[in-house]
Amino acid sequence: MHKWRAGFINELWLLLYRKKMIAFFTFSVILPILLAVSLHALQPILGLVAVSQSFPIQMLSIYTVVWIPLFILTMTADLFPSEVATRTLKLAFLRPNTRFQVFCAKVAALAVGIGALLVLLGVVTLICNVFAGTALSFAEGMGVFKAYVAAFVAMVALSAVFVFVSQFFKSVSGFMVSAIVLYVALKISPFLLSAMSTFSPASYTDWHMLWISHTVAVGKLWSTSLYLLSSCVLFFTLGYYIFDRKEV
Amino acid sequence: MKKKWLMLGGALGISSVMMITTGVSAFASTSGYDAYKSALKNTRTIQNVAVQASASLQDNGNVLASAAGNFKVSLNTQTASGSADVKANGATQSVNFYKLKDQTVLKSSTNDTYYVEQERDKEKNKNDAKETLDPQISQQVETVIDALVGNLKDYVAVDAKTDGSKEVSAQLDNSQLPTVVNAIAPIVIKHASNHEQDGEKKDNNANELPFNHDVLQASTPQLTQDIKIEKVSFKANINAANYIEHQEADITISGKDASGTAHQVTVHLQANLSGYNTTTPDTIDLSGKKVQQMDNHQHGKFHGDNE
Amino acid sequence: MDPILETHQLTKVYRNNRGIREISLQLHAGDVYGLLGPNGAGKTTFLKLITGLIRADQGKITLFTGDLIDQFEEGMQHVGCMIESADFHDFITAWQYLKLVGRFYPNITDQRITEVLEVVGLIQVRKDKIKNYSTGMKQKLALAAAILPNPKFVILDEPTNGLDIEGTVMFRRLIKQLSEEHGTTFLISSHMIHELEQLCNRVGIIVDGQLIQEGYVSDLLASGQSLEQFYIHELECRKGGKESA
């Protein structure tokens, strides 16, 4: 356990040492503020509520479709194909930890990254609400919290797919291009085959919306939660299977 | 070593079985969305039906305007008839209309004139062509809508009753509406109210209309800021024969007018359907009545003919 | 006494038919074992196998007392190594890197990190990003990381590649000191035959993936041969043997 923690902490440090990750986080914080300010400025023209109570959820919906998947892609590329390309994977392998621990440490770091991004977004948007005079009540806040937790699950499930895919690539650019194409294809696929809207983990980027609804059946939420969790397990296991057999 | 492969295989096996079962159950479970879609498709196949519809517009709880109507529609004979009452600012207007095979007749309660519009052959043909294309297009449209709705179709709850009928409902708060709708709707609402006012002025000279929908417009509060869709709710009853019997929708919009007064505007729409395939639209005998011909060279707008 | 490392009939053949075949080797505590061989003979393959970077087709590896694969964590706890080229996450500094490494082992203090950086001569540049390092500096850093946890067993693959003269001297002193003062066991693959002659007590020669000869350096020197003469002789014998066969 101590060894696993060391690997995990190291992955987190490496995450922080990468400049682009800091840029990612900074931009993630600035974007909602910029949006809130510019909407506020445009308010007389557009006539809409600049920062309404639903601002945290609206921003979340924007983030889960494009921004967080992009973050997942970048980070996955750094954690796997990039390490293969720069031959730094052996640095972790030669330490007294098993490959399972290395893999778990990387995945956990990725999950923490996603979580941190969501926490930042949630906090910043809620603060925007306070400044705009539309602070949320406790019940509304809980609703937002639930949605963010659900979004976290959906994003981790999506990252499992990308982690699995990344195992096949030895270069960052190859992985990035393929993964973006894959993601777009997964997003388009429900238009061609309606079953894909249920069976593709990429279709759950707006899943958090269901958790704030009053009319969605509880059984439905359970079955989709189980689906996402088992999809996580499946793709992480497949990813680990390939990772474990890597020769570096 | 063996233990590791057992664990791996176990994780793979269990997770894939789980994924398939939960996926299939989620896919197969008929949501309210699917139930409504199926009923809607089925209802569209009926040849004739009687519709009772009503709509109302409320501002901060005061009814600004309301409308109610009874219609009989027959698709196979391409005829329809009905009456509508529009109440606004305390004044009531009612309109009767008859759509016969080759002409449409309108009569307002405010005068005795029957306005008659002759159907043109061309337009008829166009309608026919449209209808033959319909199944294919609607299939594609359906797929696209399904994909856009995606997993949000679970918003729609369904309550199956013992007699085989179903109640389908959905309620969306502001935060549950898609971001795009939330961003664009207020702008549209704001601009729509302004534009229609302009239009009203232009049309003032053509005052001999059978009905005056501008009455509605005048009483609507002009929202200029803080516009937001508060709530959208929807309910439908589907009978055992899978026809839509009743449906209603409410849209609540909040905002402030130019003077800073807060408004909460609610639009309520509802419709009841009955007499599936047993309805015959009423006809009218125009002999001995005051008749005025209308020309519809300008789409959607009626102008009095030169007398 | 149990061997530090024991391989039995270790075989790994790549798709291009290169690799190693049936290498059986034993290292005892205190050994400084030099692995000699031409380029592409399979030295690095062997080192990767015994550190678990690649999987053997056949054979068994025992590190300390446990099977390498089954008890990887326990075994590697006491192993320090640098395999193949010295590669790092080049966006961090030497200091940051050693902090990362130290986290895996107990009692690695900042003082210990300073100590090894001083030993390898990188103390001045510890706050510089690794991407600005020369090959030799990276090599020194890899060496520093290998010895950081005070390992019982150190595996070094071409450690003097790219090292400057002082670096080479430092390296030789370091091995000697660790071996004599701490009884650290070393397995070093190198082309620098004079280096090995001075450092090692045992050598093994790998040619075409096979361990063709093994012996104590002291025995060789006693027979009046230098390690170089011995090595060339063995290579020629092998060539001759191949031709006559």
Side-chain angles (χ1 to χ4, degrees):
Chain A
M1 204 54 203
H2 163 251
K3 300 296 150 43
W4 177 83
R5 244 189 53 202
F8 170 62
I9 293 169
N10 281 2
E11 291 296 345
L12 288 183
W13 273 114
L14 285 173
L15 178 71
L16 284 179
Y17 290 147
R18 288 187 176 96
K19 289 245 170 61
K20 71 179 144 202
M21 284 301 150
I22 301 302
F24 242 109
F25 279 105
T26 315
F27 191 73
S28 302
V29 171
I30 293 174
L31 187 68
I33 299 172
L34 269 182
L35 214 65
V37 169
S38 56
L39 280 178
H40 197 75
L42 287 172
Q43 197 174 13
I45 303 163
L46 299 179
L48 45 79
V49 180
V51 184
S52 70
Q53 268 89 351
S54 62
F55 187 63
I57 299 290
Q58 302 292 345
M59 284 310 295
L60 179 65
S61 298
I62 296 174
Y63 271 45
T64 52
V65 172
V66 184
W67 186 245
I68 298 179
L70 196 64
F71 171 78
I72 294 173
L73 277 187
T74 317
M75 203 172 152
T76 308
D78 279 337
L79 287 173
F80 297 101
S82 163
E83 294 251 38
V84 175
T86 57
R87 301 203 282 187
T88 44
L89 212 47
K90 67 183 176 200
L91 298 178
F93 286 169
L94 291 173
R95 301 292 143 226
N97 57 359
T98 60
R99 291 206 180 183
F100 183 66
Q101 289 170 331
V102 176
F103 186 79
C104 287
K106 284 176 178 290
V107 167
L110 181 57
V112 167
I114 296 168
L117 210 57
L118 286 171
V119 167
L120 274 180
L121 178 68
V123 168
V124 169
T125 48
L126 287 172
I127 291 174
C128 283
N129 273 126
V130 171
F131 274 98
T134 51
L136 272 68
S137 70
F138 182 74
E140 287 169 324
M142 283 313 288
V144 169
F145 178 73
K146 221 160 59 173
Y148 272 72
V149 172
F152 176 72
V153 174
M155 288 296 108
V156 170
L158 183 65
S159 71
V161 176
F162 286 135
V163 165
F164 166 66
V165 171
S166 74
Q167 303 303 321
F168 295 98
F169 291 90
K170 290 192 168 78
S171 81
V172 173
S173 52
F175 167 69
M176 286 298 273
V177 171
S178 312
I180 289 171
V181 169
L182 175 76
Y183 182 65
V184 172
L186 283 175
K187 277 280 167 207
I188 294 174
S189 63
F191 288 91
L192 308 170
L193 184 67
S194 59
M196 284 306 279
S197 64
T198 309
F199 284 102
S200 135
S203 305
Y204 288 82
T205 51
D206 53 4
W207 189 60
H208 57 269
M209 300 288 274
L210 296 184
W211 286 85
I212 45 173
S213 164
H214 315 289
T215 47
V216 176
V218 179
K220 192 82 198 180
L221 288 177
W222 265 109
S223 69
T224 43
S225 304
L226 279 176
Y227 175 80
L228 284 176
L229 288 177
S230 50
S231 146
C232 267
V233 174
L234 179 74
F235 283 107
F236 280 136
T237 312
L238 284 173
Y240 166 67
Y241 176 73
I242 303 172
F243 185 75
D244 189 49
R245 293 161 64 91
K246 273 212 158 76
E247 306 213 316
V248 294
Chain B
M1 217 45 204
K2 268 226 175 93
K3 204 177 130 203
K4 185 170 131 188
W5 293 117
L6 271 175
M7 292 276 287
L8 259 184
L12 277 183
I14 292 168
S15 62
S16 48
V17 166
M18 280 267 288
M19 212 173 140
I20 290 165
T21 41
T22 52
V24 165
S25 81
F27 184 60
S29 75
T30 42
S31 65
Y33 175 79
D34 294 312
Y36 181 71
K37 207 171 72 178
S38 145
L40 187 65
K41 274 196 254 177
N42 192 40
T43 309
R44 276 177 59 178
T45 62
I46 51 178
Q47 291 304 319
N48 53 66
V49 69
V51 183
Q52 273 182 291
S54 66
S56 71
L57 182 68
Q58 290 188 336
D59 177 24
N60 292 338
N62 307 317
V63 179
L64 290 179
S66 68
N70 287 301
F71 308 99
K72 292 176 180 175
V73 183
S74 169
L75 291 172
N76 50 355
T77 57
Q78 297 200 3
T79 57
S81 68
S83 64
D85 296 319
V86 179
K87 233 185 260 175
N89 296 341
T92 307
Q93 283 186 67
S94 68
V95 175
N96 289 313
F97 84 96
Y98 306 89
K99 184 186 172 297
L100 307 172
K101 232 184 166 121
D102 50 357
Q103 62 183 5
T104 304
V105 180
L106 287 163
K107 187 193 170 291
S108 167
S109 62
T110 49
N111 60 41
D112 293 333
T113 318
Y114 288 79
Y115 296 85
V116 177
E117 183 197 354
Q118 296 297 332
E119 283 280 338
R120 289 177 183 181
D121 288 345
K122 255 191 205 168
E123 213 156 299
K124 244 188 192 170
N125 289 343
K126 221 162 87 188
N127 281 348
D128 288 345
K130 240 187 203 166
E131 261 160 49
T132 49
L133 261 171
D134 216 21
Q136 221 186 353
I137 292 174
S138 69
Q139 185 59 46
Q140 286 167 358
V141 167
E142 188 188 328
T143 319
V144 169
I145 291 175
D146 281 355
L148 285 176
V149 171
N151 288 299
L152 299 189
K153 69 180 182 196
D154 293 327
Y155 273 157
V156 189
V158 63
D159 181 16
K161 304 269 171 61
T162 43
D163 62 353
S165 68
K166 293 176 204 130
E167 188 179 292
V168 169
S169 63
Q171 187 187 327
L172 301 177
D173 291 344
N174 176 263
S175 59
Q176 288 161 269
L177 291 168
T179 310
V180 181
V181 175
N182 264 328
I184 293 175
I187 302 171
V188 172
I189 292 168
K190 183 179 175 181
H191 283 253
S193 55
N194 289 344
H195 276 291
E196 282 202 22
Q197 265 192 319
D198 294 346
E200 193 181 4
K201 278 168 202 155
K202 266 185 229 157
D203 276 349
N204 266 352
N205 54 347
N207 221 356
E208 276 183 81
L209 291 175
F211 53 83
N212 187 358
H213 71 276
D214 298 331
V215 175
L216 251 175
Q217 193 59 46
S219 53
T220 316
Q222 304 294 312
L223 302 179
T224 55
Q225 52 176 321
D226 284 0
I227 302 168
K228 140 176 145 175
I229 300 182
E230 288 282 346
K231 202 168 72 181
V232 175
S233 69
F234 173 86
K235 208 169 91 178
N237 290 43
I238 300 166
N239 68 12
N242 203 22
Y243 289 129
I244 295 170
E245 259 182 358
H246 166 84
Q247 74 181 42
E248 60 178 89
D250 282 282
I251 302 169
T252 308
I253 298 161
S254 68
K256 288 178 184 157
D257 62 19
S259 61
T261 318
H263 289 276
Q264 188 153 41
V265 179
T266 305
V267 180
H268 176 83
L269 302 167
Q270 83 163 48
N272 290 319
L273 275 67
S274 60
Y276 308 100
N277 288 336
T278 56
T279 305
T280 316
D282 301 332
T283 53
I284 181 144
D285 185 11
L286 291 172
S287 54
K289 306 230 163 82
K290 190 179 165 195
V291 171
Q292 185 177 351
Q293 293 291 330
M294 294 197 304
D295 186 14
N296 67 338
H297 62 263
Q298 212 179 328
H299 194 77
K301 284 189 177 160
F302 301 106
H303 289 270
D305 253 1
N306 298 334
E307 279 169 303
Chain C
M1 199 174 80
D2 285 327
I4 297 285
L5 171 78
E6 183 174 12
T7 68
H8 180 72
Q9 304 270 307
L10 202 57
T11 300
K12 168 80 186 179
V13 182
Y14 289 112
R15 239 174 268 156
N16 59 9
N17 216 25
R18 297 261 291 274
I20 61 163
R21 288 180 176 80
E22 301 188 337
I23 292 191
S24 297
L25 186 143
Q26 276 197 356
L27 251 71
H28 295 282
D31 270 349
V32 181
Y33 193 106
L35 211 51
L36 283 169
N39 291 325
K43 298 186 300 279
T44 298
T45 303
F46 180 73
L47 297 184
K48 281 184 174 179
L49 279 169
I50 62 169
T51 49
L53 288 181
I54 56 177
R55 290 270 169 80
D57 298 338
Q58 276 165 43
K60 196 168 152 49
I61 305 160
T62 312
L63 187 63
F64 300 102
T65 51
D67 181 84
L68 176 76
I69 309 295
D70 289 343
Q71 295 176 31
F72 188 81
E73 281 180 85
E74 293 87 335
M76 290 303 276
Q77 183 71 43
H78 305 289
V79 177
C81 44
M82 50 186 287
I83 307 288
E84 218 173 15
S85 46
D87 304 297
F88 302 98
H89 299 106
D90 59 6
F91 48 86
I92 60 174
T93 67
W95 179 267
Q96 286 168 339
Y97 173 64
L98 292 180
K99 285 292 278 185
L100 297 185
V101 173
R103 210 161 274 132
F104 284 97
Y105 309 93
N107 311 320
I108 305 293
T109 56
D110 283 3
Q111 197 199 336
R112 171 67 187 154
I113 294 173
T114 314
E115 203 176 295
V116 294
L117 281 170
E118 267 166 2
V119 168
V120 299
L122 288 177
I123 195 73
Q124 301 296 332
V125 291
R126 67 185 186 281
K127 294 267 163 69
D128 290 358
K129 291 253 159 67
I130 299 177
K131 64 170 156 248
N132 300 322
Y133 281 21
S134 67
T135 318
M137 287 159 88
K138 285 184 187 167
Q139 204 76 12
K140 287 176 186 171
L141 180 59
L143 189 64
I147 61 166
L148 180 70
N150 291 309
K152 293 180 187 161
F153 180 29
V154 178
I155 300 168
L156 303 171
D157 189 9
E158 307 283 359
T160 50
N161 261 8
L163 280 192
D164 50 15
I165 297 166
E166 310 99 275
T168 317
V169 173
M170 170 277 293
F171 168 72
R172 209 185 304 145
R173 262 192 217 143
L174 180 66
I175 306 290
K176 274 233 182 312
Q177 185 214 348
L178 287 175
S179 160
E180 283 163 12
E181 288 175 18
H182 300 273
T184 310
T185 310
F186 283 91
L187 176 59
I188 305 168
S189 95
S190 180
H191 298 293
M192 305 289 180
I193 201 153
H194 299 289
E195 207 71 58
L196 289 185
E197 192 178 279
Q198 290 179 52
L199 283 172
C200 302
N201 67 330
R202 289 171 70 199
V203 288
I205 297 171
I206 293 186
V207 180
D208 292 339
Q210 280 167 306
L211 185 67
I212 60 163
Q213 192 57 261
E214 233 192 335
Y216 282 89
V217 176
S218 52
D219 294 351
L220 281 176
L221 296 178
S223 71
Q225 270 182 307
S226 75
L227 186 54
E228 194 171 49
Q229 283 167 326
F230 173 71
Y231 176 69
I232 297 297
H233 175 71
E234 285 299 328
L235 277 190
E236 274 166 1
C237 280
R238 167 120 186 132
K239 253 190 217 160
K242 248 190 188 169
E243 272 157 24
S244 64

